[in-house]
Amino acid sequence: MSTPPPPVVDTMRQIGSLLQTGDFRAAHQQLERVVEQHPDYGEALRLLGGVQLALGDAKGAEAWLRRAVAADPGWPASLATLGEMLLHSGRYDEALPLLQRAAQHLPHAAWLLARHYNDQQQPAQALAVIEPLCASGQAPAELVTQHVAALAALGRQGDAVDFYRQLAQRMPDHPGAAHALAIALAAASRHAEAERSTQQALARGHRTAAVHFTHANSLIALGQFERAETSLRECLGQEPRHIEAHNHLARLVWMRTGDRAQSTAALDYSLQRFQGDDALLAAKAAILQGAGDARGAYACLAVSAARAQAGPALLVRAGLAALEFEPATAVTLAERALRLSPGSTSAKNLLAAALLGTGDARAALTHCETLLAAAPDDQYLIALQTTAWRLLGDGRYEAFCDYAKLVRAYRLQAPAPWTDLASFLADLKQSLERLHNPHGHPLLFQSLRHGTETTNDLTREADPVIQALFKAFDAPIRDYMAYIGNGGDPLRRRNRGAYRFNGGWSVRLHSAGYHNNHVHPRGWISSAFYVDLPDEMAQSSSLYGCLAFGEPSIITEPPLHAQHVVRPQAGRLALFPSYVWHGTVPFHSDKARLTVAFDVVPQTQ
């Protein structure tokens, strides 16, 4: 890019200061004067497009950004900015070539590409973009995170650890290398090692927001919640708009207090400093909704969503809250978001779900079919599709959701060295209860109510009893795969004869506890294993504590109810497709209901 005259350089510095303080209108006025005097100055054109977008004019922003690219086709910043805007609009065919050109020079563009590919469950493409950059040892933390995520999606967590361990050995005094190794170790659930690695980075003076955030993640997994809170507050002290750190901190405070106001206090403080920040407002709304207050979440966003210049992400977040109590409002918000961003997948998902609640199942089905063409293994979309079929009386519903055939229960065999199942379950109960949050509050953003859920991936726990449990699951999983066989439907067409676990957790429900109906969007086969049950549940002929299938978590018109149940028994494992709606019927007892669940996905070669 050509260097502008000195007076323009000074003006651009002033504009940079205005942008940092959020004075977009003043920056816009100055940029217009610069562009009027220097119509081919690509960086001014790029910034003008960015400001136009911040002011809510997406169409005008795109025009300025296209002018910037035309004025200087090789300027990576313009390519990346236009590509990012198009990517967020869902116009992938236009965005990806621009970002691929920019990614050769800009790590941010490479990060955008890799995150997109990972989000679209295309980890191999993400690796192709990001691995060469990460091999240098100079990649920022966000790039490392996407690299590790891509390897993990391919079941190669061990490769990620080896890659970054070798890097750390080559660069023993580089704090960034220690941080990168910590990210890889955490993804492999080796949290004690990850925590030591982040401590090394911090000791070497690498006290960035990203390192504190990684440190907090490992501390959470290790159950050291007070230290994790401290690390998250350190992160937010440096980067008060770090959305993931706000989410994690809210989870910890909620676990400790069960209080919505305390859980959102840090967000409220940041919102005082950055008033009207859409991302912070959306994060607060998500936390309120995760804590069971959908109406409060909507109220948090209502004023901002009513503005003509409200962005599509904010509109979708408001729509997700409205979906729980007023689907017609969710339809309106989704349609507004799609007018601004016609390719937005999240807006299309919201619209499909909301239409089911307003009685327009046929239109919902059309949207589902379009979305599934791009993401055929998305279990939530399959759930919406089958719900539309059920509302329309379409026979395909019975084939995809034949619960009598597709939900199978197994009696687990006691693994060696245990000689009977009862003694194994007694030892398993002790191991699991050590992992449950002693404060007794549920995790945010989870389907359970009146209970707790473990925070770490049980499939990677070192405890020999838990390891034995997951080895014992192998025989019923393989039997289930052989039973379902092969075919063209979403369950059978992915059956390649090999699987891997994609997360495992334990749930402890107390009296009046239950699971809201839900699906597992990134699963394939899901499960429920009963470890310890109230005596009343085991002996009762009522539905208390049963696993119920078929009732959607979303409002439908007309309402739909459960069609199949599995009665809990200690030692029983239920396996079923991840796309079927399932939840737990509330129960009442002085004794807790302790279970383990996991997802499996096809093993890629």
Coordinates of all heavy atoms in Angstrom, one line a residue, residues 328-409:
A328 N -43.6 -16.2 17.9 CA -43.9 -15.2 16.9 C -42.9 -14.1 16.9 O -42.5 -13.6 15.9 CB -45.3 -14.7 17.0
T329 N -42.5 -13.7 18.1 CA -41.5 -12.6 18.2 C -40.1 -13.2 17.7 O -39.4 -12.4 17.0 CB -41.3 -12.2 19.7 OG1 -42.5 -11.6 20.1 CG2 -40.2 -11.2 19.9
A330 N -39.8 -14.4 18.0 CA -38.6 -15.0 17.5 C -38.6 -15.1 16.0 O -37.5 -14.8 15.3 CB -38.4 -16.4 18.1
V331 N -39.7 -15.3 15.4 CA -39.8 -15.3 13.9 C -39.5 -14.0 13.4 O -38.7 -13.8 12.4 CB -41.2 -15.8 13.4 CG1 -41.4 -15.5 11.9 CG2 -41.5 -17.2 13.7
T332 N -40.1 -12.9 13.9 CA -39.8 -11.5 13.5 C -38.3 -11.2 13.6 O -37.7 -10.6 12.7 CB -40.6 -10.6 14.3 OG1 -42.0 -10.9 14.1 CG2 -40.4 -9.1 13.9
L333 N -37.7 -11.5 14.7 CA -36.3 -11.2 14.9 C -35.4 -12.0 14.0 O -34.4 -11.5 13.4 CB -35.9 -11.5 16.4 CG -36.5 -10.6 17.4 CD1 -36.4 -11.2 18.8 CD2 -35.8 -9.2 17.4
A334 N -35.7 -13.3 13.7 CA -34.9 -14.1 12.8 C -35.1 -13.5 11.4 O -34.1 -13.4 10.6 CB -35.4 -15.5 12.8
E335 N -36.2 -13.1 11.0 CA -36.4 -12.5 9.6 C -35.7 -11.2 9.5 O -35.1 -10.9 8.4 CB -37.9 -12.3 9.4 CG -38.6 -13.7 9.1 CD -40.2 -13.5 9.0 OE1 -40.7 -12.5 9.4 OE2 -40.8 -14.5 8.5
R336 N -35.7 -10.4 10.5 CA -34.9 -9.2 10.5 C -33.4 -9.5 10.3 O -32.7 -8.8 9.6 CB -35.1 -8.3 11.8 CG -36.4 -7.6 11.8 CD -36.5 -6.8 13.1 NE -35.4 -5.8 13.3 CZ -35.1 -5.3 14.4 NH1 -35.7 -5.6 15.5 NH2 -34.1 -4.4 14.5
A337 N -32.9 -10.5 11.1 CA -31.5 -10.8 11.0 C -31.2 -11.3 9.6 O -30.1 -11.0 9.1 CB -31.2 -11.9 12.0
L338 N -32.1 -12.1 9.0 CA -31.8 -12.6 7.6 C -31.8 -11.5 6.6 O -31.1 -11.6 5.6 CB -32.8 -13.7 7.3 CG -32.5 -15.0 8.0 CD1 -33.7 -16.0 7.9 CD2 -31.2 -15.7 7.5
R339 N -32.6 -10.5 6.8 CA -32.6 -9.4 5.8 C -31.2 -8.7 5.9 O -30.7 -8.2 4.8 CB -33.7 -8.4 6.1 CG -35.1 -8.8 5.7 CD -36.1 -7.7 5.7 NE -36.4 -7.2 7.0 CZ -37.3 -7.7 7.8 NH1 -38.1 -8.7 7.4 NH2 -37.6 -7.2 9.0
L340 N -30.6 -8.6 7.1 CA -29.3 -8.0 7.2 C -28.2 -9.0 6.8 O -27.1 -8.5 6.2 CB -29.0 -7.6 8.6 CG -29.9 -6.5 9.2 CD1 -29.7 -6.3 10.7 CD2 -29.6 -5.1 8.5
S341 N -28.4 -10.3 7.0 CA -27.3 -11.3 6.8 C -28.0 -12.5 6.2 O -28.3 -13.5 6.9 CB -26.6 -11.6 8.1 OG -25.6 -12.6 7.9
P342 N -28.3 -12.5 4.9 CA -29.1 -13.5 4.2 C -28.5 -14.9 4.4 O -29.3 -15.9 4.3 CB -29.2 -13.1 2.8 CG -28.9 -11.6 2.8 CD -28.0 -11.4 3.9
G343 N -27.2 -15.1 4.6 CA -26.6 -16.4 4.7 C -26.4 -16.8 6.1 O -25.8 -17.9 6.3
S344 N -26.9 -16.1 7.1 CA -26.6 -16.4 8.5 C -27.3 -17.8 8.9 O -28.5 -17.9 8.9 CB -27.2 -15.3 9.4 OG -27.1 -15.7 10.8
T345 N -26.4 -18.7 9.2 CA -26.9 -20.1 9.6 C -27.7 -20.0 10.9 O -28.7 -20.6 11.1 CB -25.7 -21.0 9.7 OG1 -25.1 -21.1 8.5 CG2 -26.2 -22.4 10.2
S346 N -27.1 -19.2 11.9 CA -27.8 -19.1 13.2 C -29.2 -18.5 13.1 O -30.1 -18.9 13.7 CB -27.0 -18.3 14.2 OG -26.7 -17.0 13.7
A347 N -29.3 -17.5 12.2 CA -30.7 -16.9 12.0 C -31.6 -17.9 11.3 O -32.8 -18.0 11.6 CB -30.5 -15.6 11.1
K348 N -31.1 -18.7 10.4 CA -31.9 -19.7 9.7 C -32.4 -20.8 10.7 O -33.5 -21.3 10.7 CB -31.2 -20.3 8.5 CG -31.0 -19.4 7.4 CD -30.1 -20.0 6.3 CE -29.9 -19.1 5.1 NZ -29.0 -19.7 4.1
N349 N -31.4 -21.2 11.6 CA -31.8 -22.2 12.6 C -32.9 -21.7 13.5 O -33.9 -22.4 13.8 CB -30.6 -22.5 13.5 CG -29.6 -23.4 12.8 OD1 -29.8 -23.9 11.7 ND2 -28.5 -23.7 13.4
L350 N -32.7 -20.4 13.9 CA -33.7 -19.8 14.8 C -35.1 -19.7 14.1 O -36.1 -20.1 14.7 CB -33.3 -18.4 15.2 CG -34.3 -17.5 15.9 CD1 -34.7 -18.2 17.3 CD2 -33.8 -16.1 16.2
L351 N -35.1 -19.3 12.8 CA -36.3 -19.2 12.1 C -37.0 -20.6 12.0 O -38.3 -20.7 12.2 CB -36.1 -18.6 10.7 CG -37.3 -18.4 9.8 CD1 -38.4 -17.5 10.5 CD2 -36.9 -17.8 8.5
A352 N -36.3 -21.6 11.7 CA -36.9 -22.9 11.5 C -37.5 -23.4 12.8 O -38.7 -23.9 12.8 CB -35.8 -23.9 11.1
A353 N -36.8 -23.2 13.9 CA -37.4 -23.6 15.2 C -38.6 -22.7 15.6 O -39.6 -23.2 16.1 CB -36.3 -23.4 16.3
A354 N -38.5 -21.4 15.3 CA -39.6 -20.5 15.7 C -40.9 -20.8 14.9 O -42.0 -20.7 15.4 CB -39.2 -19.1 15.5
L355 N -40.7 -21.2 13.6 CA -41.9 -21.5 12.7 C -42.6 -22.7 13.3 O -43.9 -22.8 13.1 CB -41.4 -21.7 11.3 CG -41.0 -20.4 10.6 CD1 -40.3 -20.8 9.3 CD2 -42.2 -19.5 10.3
L356 N -41.9 -23.6 13.9 CA -42.6 -24.8 14.5 C -43.5 -24.3 15.6 O -44.6 -25.0 15.9 CB -41.6 -25.8 15.0 CG -40.7 -26.5 13.9 CD1 -39.6 -27.3 14.6 CD2 -41.6 -27.4 13.0
G357 N -43.1 -23.2 16.3 CA -43.9 -22.7 17.4 C -45.1 -21.9 16.9 O -46.0 -21.6 17.7
T358 N -45.1 -21.4 15.7 CA -46.2 -20.6 15.2 C -47.2 -21.4 14.3 O -48.1 -20.9 13.7 CB -45.7 -19.4 14.4 OG1 -44.9 -19.9 13.3 CG2 -44.9 -18.5 15.3
G359 N -46.9 -22.7 14.2 CA -47.8 -23.6 13.4 C -47.5 -23.7 12.0 O -48.3 -24.4 11.2
D360 N -46.3 -23.2 11.5 CA -46.0 -23.3 10.1 C -44.9 -24.3 9.9 O -43.8 -24.0 9.5 CB -45.5 -21.9 9.6 CG -45.5 -21.8 8.1 OD1 -45.7 -22.9 7.4 OD2 -45.4 -20.7 7.5
A361 N -45.3 -25.6 10.1 CA -44.3 -26.7 10.0 C -43.8 -26.8 8.6 O -42.6 -27.2 8.4 CB -44.9 -28.0 10.5
R362 N -44.6 -26.5 7.6 CA -44.2 -26.7 6.2 C -43.0 -25.8 5.9 O -42.0 -26.2 5.3 CB -45.3 -26.6 5.3 CG -45.0 -27.1 3.9 CD -46.3 -27.4 3.1 NE -47.2 -28.3 3.7 CZ -47.0 -29.7 3.7 NH1 -45.9 -30.1 3.0 NH2 -47.8 -30.5 4.2
A363 N -43.2 -24.5 6.3 CA -42.1 -23.6 6.0 C -40.8 -23.9 6.8 O -39.7 -23.8 6.4 CB -42.5 -22.1 6.4
A364 N -41.1 -24.4 8.1 CA -39.9 -24.8 8.9 C -39.2 -26.0 8.2 O -37.9 -26.0 8.2 CB -40.4 -25.2 10.3
L365 N -39.9 -26.9 7.7 CA -39.3 -28.0 7.0 C -38.4 -27.6 5.8 O -37.3 -28.1 5.6 CB -40.4 -29.0 6.6 CG -39.9 -30.3 5.9 CD1 -39.0 -31.1 6.8 CD2 -41.1 -31.2 5.5
T366 N -38.9 -26.6 5.1 CA -38.2 -26.1 3.9 C -36.8 -25.6 4.4 O -35.8 -25.8 3.8 CB -39.0 -25.0 3.2 OG1 -40.2 -25.6 2.7 CG2 -38.2 -24.5 2.0
H367 N -36.8 -24.8 5.5 CA -35.6 -24.2 6.0 C -34.7 -25.4 6.5 O -33.5 -25.3 6.3 CB -35.9 -23.3 7.1 CG -36.5 -22.0 6.6 ND1 -35.8 -21.0 5.9 CD2 -37.7 -21.4 6.8 CE1 -36.5 -20.0 5.6 NE2 -37.7 -20.2 6.2
C368 N -35.2 -26.3 7.2 CA -34.4 -27.5 7.7 C -33.7 -28.2 6.5 O -32.5 -28.5 6.6 CB -35.3 -28.4 8.5 SG -35.9 -27.8 10.0
E369 N -34.4 -28.4 5.5 CA -33.9 -29.2 4.4 C -32.7 -28.4 3.7 O -31.7 -29.0 3.3 CB -34.9 -29.5 3.3 CG -35.9 -30.6 3.9 CD -37.2 -30.7 3.0 OE1 -37.4 -29.8 2.1 OE2 -37.9 -31.7 3.1
T370 N -32.9 -27.1 3.6 CA -31.8 -26.3 3.1 C -30.6 -26.3 4.0 O -29.4 -26.5 3.5 CB -32.3 -24.8 2.9 OG1 -33.4 -24.8 2.0 CG2 -31.2 -23.9 2.3
L371 N -30.8 -26.2 5.3 CA -29.7 -26.2 6.2 C -29.0 -27.5 6.3 O -27.8 -27.6 6.4 CB -30.2 -25.8 7.6 CG -30.6 -24.4 7.8 CD1 -31.5 -24.2 9.0 CD2 -29.4 -23.5 8.0
L372 N -29.8 -28.6 6.2 CA -29.2 -30.0 6.3 C -28.4 -30.3 5.0 O -27.5 -31.1 5.1 CB -30.3 -31.0 6.5 CG -30.8 -31.1 7.9 CD1 -32.1 -31.9 8.0 CD2 -29.7 -31.8 8.8
A373 N -28.7 -29.6 3.9 CA -27.9 -29.9 2.7 C -26.4 -29.4 3.0 O -25.5 -30.0 2.4 CB -28.4 -29.1 1.6
A374 N -26.2 -28.4 3.8 CA -24.9 -27.9 4.1 C -24.3 -28.6 5.3 O -23.0 -28.7 5.5 CB -24.9 -26.4 4.3
A375 N -25.1 -29.1 6.3 CA -24.6 -29.7 7.5 C -25.4 -30.9 7.8 O -26.2 -31.0 8.7 CB -24.7 -28.7 8.7
P376 N -25.3 -32.0 7.0 CA -26.1 -33.2 7.2 C -26.0 -33.9 8.5 O -26.9 -34.7 8.8 CB -25.7 -34.1 6.0 CG -24.3 -33.6 5.7 CD -24.3 -32.2 6.0
D377 N -25.0 -33.7 9.2 CA -24.8 -34.4 10.5 C -25.2 -33.6 11.7 O -25.0 -34.1 12.9 CB -23.4 -34.9 10.6 CG -23.0 -35.9 9.6 OD1 -23.9 -36.7 9.1 OD2 -21.8 -36.0 9.2
D378 N -25.7 -32.4 11.5 CA -26.1 -31.6 12.7 C -27.4 -32.2 13.3 O -28.4 -32.2 12.7 CB -26.4 -30.2 12.2 CG -26.6 -29.2 13.3 OD1 -27.4 -29.5 14.2 OD2 -26.1 -28.1 13.3
Q379 N -27.2 -32.7 14.5 CA -28.3 -33.5 15.1 C -29.5 -32.6 15.5 O -30.6 -33.0 15.6 CB -27.7 -34.2 16.4 CG -26.6 -35.1 16.1 CD -26.9 -36.3 15.2 OE1 -27.6 -37.2 15.6 NE2 -26.4 -36.2 13.9
Y380 N -29.2 -31.3 15.8 CA -30.3 -30.4 16.2 C -31.2 -30.1 14.9 O -32.4 -30.1 15.0 CB -29.7 -29.1 16.7 CG -30.8 -28.1 17.1 CD1 -31.6 -28.2 18.1 CD2 -30.9 -26.9 16.3 CE1 -32.6 -27.3 18.4 CE2 -31.9 -25.9 16.6 CZ -32.7 -26.1 17.7 OH -33.7 -25.2 18.0
L381 N -30.5 -30.0 13.8 CA -31.3 -29.7 12.6 C -32.2 -31.0 12.2 O -33.3 -30.8 11.8 CB -30.4 -29.4 11.4 CG -29.7 -28.0 11.5 CD1 -28.8 -27.9 10.3 CD2 -30.7 -26.9 11.5
I382 N -31.6 -32.2 12.5 CA -32.3 -33.4 12.2 C -33.5 -33.4 13.2 O -34.6 -33.8 12.8 CB -31.5 -34.6 12.4 CG1 -30.3 -34.6 11.3 CG2 -32.3 -35.9 12.2 CD1 -29.2 -35.6 11.6
A383 N -33.3 -33.0 14.4 CA -34.4 -33.0 15.4 C -35.5 -32.0 14.9 O -36.7 -32.3 15.0 CB -33.9 -32.6 16.7
L384 N -35.2 -30.9 14.4 CA -36.2 -29.9 13.9 C -36.9 -30.5 12.7 O -38.1 -30.4 12.6 CB -35.5 -28.6 13.5 CG -34.9 -27.8 14.6 CD1 -34.4 -26.4 14.1 CD2 -35.9 -27.5 15.7
Q385 N -36.1 -31.2 11.8 CA -36.7 -31.8 10.6 C -37.8 -32.9 11.0 O -38.9 -32.9 10.5 CB -35.7 -32.4 9.8 CG -36.2 -33.1 8.5 CD -35.1 -33.8 7.8 OE1 -34.3 -34.6 8.4 NE2 -34.9 -33.6 6.5
T386 N -37.4 -33.7 11.9 CA -38.3 -34.8 12.3 C -39.5 -34.3 13.1 O -40.6 -34.8 13.0 CB -37.6 -35.9 13.2 OG1 -37.0 -35.2 14.4 CG2 -36.5 -36.6 12.4
T387 N -39.3 -33.2 13.8 CA -40.4 -32.5 14.5 C -41.4 -32.0 13.5 O -42.7 -32.1 13.6 CB -39.9 -31.4 15.4 OG1 -39.0 -32.0 16.4 CG2 -41.1 -30.8 16.2
A388 N -40.9 -31.4 12.4 CA -41.8 -30.9 11.4 C -42.5 -32.0 10.7 O -43.8 -31.9 10.5 CB -41.0 -30.1 10.3
W389 N -41.9 -33.1 10.5 CA -42.5 -34.3 9.9 C -43.7 -34.8 10.8 O -44.8 -35.1 10.3 CB -41.5 -35.4 9.7 CG -40.6 -35.3 8.5 CD1 -40.8 -34.4 7.4 CD2 -39.4 -35.9 8.3 NE1 -39.7 -34.6 6.6 CE2 -38.8 -35.5 7.1 CE3 -38.7 -36.9 9.1 CZ2 -37.6 -35.9 6.6 CZ3 -37.4 -37.3 8.6 CH2 -36.9 -36.9 7.3
R390 N -43.4 -34.8 12.1 CA -44.4 -35.3 13.0 C -45.6 -34.4 13.0 O -46.8 -34.8 13.0 CB -43.8 -35.3 14.4 CG -44.8 -35.9 15.5 CD -44.1 -36.0 16.8 NE -45.0 -36.3 17.9 CZ -44.6 -36.4 19.2 NH1 -43.4 -36.1 19.6 NH2 -45.5 -36.7 20.1
L391 N -45.4 -33.1 13.0 CA -46.5 -32.1 12.9 C -47.3 -32.2 11.7 O -48.5 -32.0 11.6 CB -46.0 -30.7 13.1 CG -45.5 -30.3 14.5 CD1 -44.7 -29.0 14.5 CD2 -46.6 -30.2 15.5
L392 N -46.6 -32.6 10.6 CA -47.3 -32.7 9.3 C -47.9 -34.1 9.0 O -48.5 -34.3 8.0 CB -46.3 -32.3 8.2 CG -45.8 -30.9 8.1 CD1 -44.6 -30.7 7.2 CD2 -46.9 -30.0 7.7
G393 N -47.6 -35.0 9.9 CA -48.1 -36.4 9.7 C -47.3 -37.1 8.7 O -47.9 -38.1 8.0
D394 N -46.1 -36.7 8.4 CA -45.3 -37.3 7.4 C -44.7 -38.7 7.9 O -44.1 -38.7 9.0 CB -44.1 -36.4 7.1 CG -43.3 -36.8 5.9 OD1 -42.9 -38.0 5.8 OD2 -43.1 -35.9 5.0
G395 N -44.8 -39.7 7.1 CA -44.4 -41.1 7.5 C -42.9 -41.2 7.8 O -42.5 -42.1 8.5
R396 N -42.1 -40.3 7.3 CA -40.7 -40.4 7.6 C -40.4 -40.2 9.1 O -39.3 -40.7 9.5 CB -40.0 -39.3 6.7 CG -39.9 -39.6 5.3 CD -39.3 -38.5 4.4 NE -40.2 -37.3 4.4 CZ -39.9 -36.2 3.7 NH1 -38.8 -36.2 3.0 NH2 -40.8 -35.2 3.6
Y397 N -41.2 -39.5 9.8 CA -41.0 -39.4 11.2 C -40.9 -40.7 11.9 O -40.0 -41.0 12.7 CB -42.1 -38.5 11.9 CG -42.0 -38.5 13.4 CD1 -41.0 -37.7 14.0 CD2 -42.8 -39.3 14.2 CE1 -40.8 -37.7 15.4 CE2 -42.7 -39.3 15.6 CZ -41.7 -38.5 16.2 OH -41.5 -38.5 17.5
E398 N -41.8 -41.6 11.6 CA -41.9 -42.9 12.2 C -40.6 -43.7 11.9 O -40.1 -44.5 12.8 CB -43.1 -43.7 11.8 CG -44.4 -43.0 12.1 CD -44.6 -42.9 13.6 OE1 -44.0 -43.7 14.4 OE2 -45.4 -42.0 14.1
A399 N -40.0 -43.5 10.7 CA -38.8 -44.3 10.4 C -37.6 -43.7 11.1 O -36.8 -44.5 11.6 CB -38.6 -44.2 8.9
F400 N -37.5 -42.4 11.2 CA -36.3 -41.8 11.8 C -36.4 -41.9 13.4 O -35.4 -41.9 14.1 CB -36.2 -40.3 11.4 CG -35.5 -40.1 10.1 CD1 -36.0 -40.8 9.0 CD2 -34.5 -39.2 10.0 CE1 -35.3 -40.6 7.7 CE2 -33.9 -39.0 8.8 CZ -34.3 -39.7 7.6
C401 N -37.6 -41.9 13.9 CA -37.8 -41.8 15.4 C -38.6 -43.1 15.9 O -39.6 -42.9 16.6 CB -38.5 -40.5 15.8 SG -37.6 -39.1 15.4
D402 N -38.3 -44.2 15.4 CA -38.9 -45.5 15.8 C -38.2 -45.8 17.2 O -37.3 -46.6 17.2 CB -38.7 -46.6 14.8 CG -39.4 -47.8 15.1 OD1 -39.9 -48.0 16.3 OD2 -39.6 -48.7 14.2
Y403 N -38.7 -45.3 18.2 CA -38.1 -45.4 19.5 C -38.0 -46.9 20.0 O -37.0 -47.3 20.6 CB -38.8 -44.6 20.6 CG -38.9 -43.1 20.2 CD1 -40.1 -42.5 19.9 CD2 -37.8 -42.3 20.1 CE1 -40.2 -41.2 19.6 CE2 -37.8 -41.0 19.8 CZ -39.1 -40.4 19.5 OH -39.1 -39.1 19.2
A404 N -39.0 -47.6 19.7 CA -39.0 -49.0 20.1 C -37.8 -49.8 19.5 O -37.3 -50.7 20.2 CB -40.3 -49.7 19.7
K405 N -37.4 -49.4 18.3 CA -36.3 -50.1 17.7 C -35.0 -49.3 18.0 O -33.9 -50.0 18.1 CB -36.5 -50.2 16.2 CG -37.6 -51.1 15.8 CD -37.7 -51.2 14.3 CE -38.8 -52.2 13.9 NZ -38.9 -52.3 12.4
L406 N -35.0 -48.0 18.0 CA -33.7 -47.3 18.0 C -33.2 -46.9 19.4 O -32.1 -46.5 19.6 CB -33.9 -46.0 17.2 CG -34.2 -46.1 15.7 CD1 -34.3 -44.8 15.0 CD2 -33.1 -47.0 15.1
V407 N -34.1 -47.1 20.4 CA -33.6 -46.9 21.8 C -33.5 -48.3 22.4 O -34.4 -49.1 22.5 CB -34.7 -46.1 22.6 CG1 -34.2 -46.0 24.1 CG2 -34.9 -44.7 22.0
R408 N -32.2 -48.7 22.8 CA -32.0 -50.0 23.3 C -31.3 -49.9 24.7 O -30.5 -49.1 24.9 CB -31.1 -50.8 22.4 CG -31.8 -51.2 21.1 CD -31.0 -51.9 20.1 NE -30.4 -53.2 20.6 CZ -31.1 -54.4 20.5 NH1 -32.3 -54.4 20.1 NH2 -30.5 -55.5 20.9
A409 N -31.8 -50.8 25.6 CA -31.3 -50.9 26.9 C -30.4 -52.1 27.1 O -30.8 -53.2 26.6 CB -32.4 -50.8 27.9

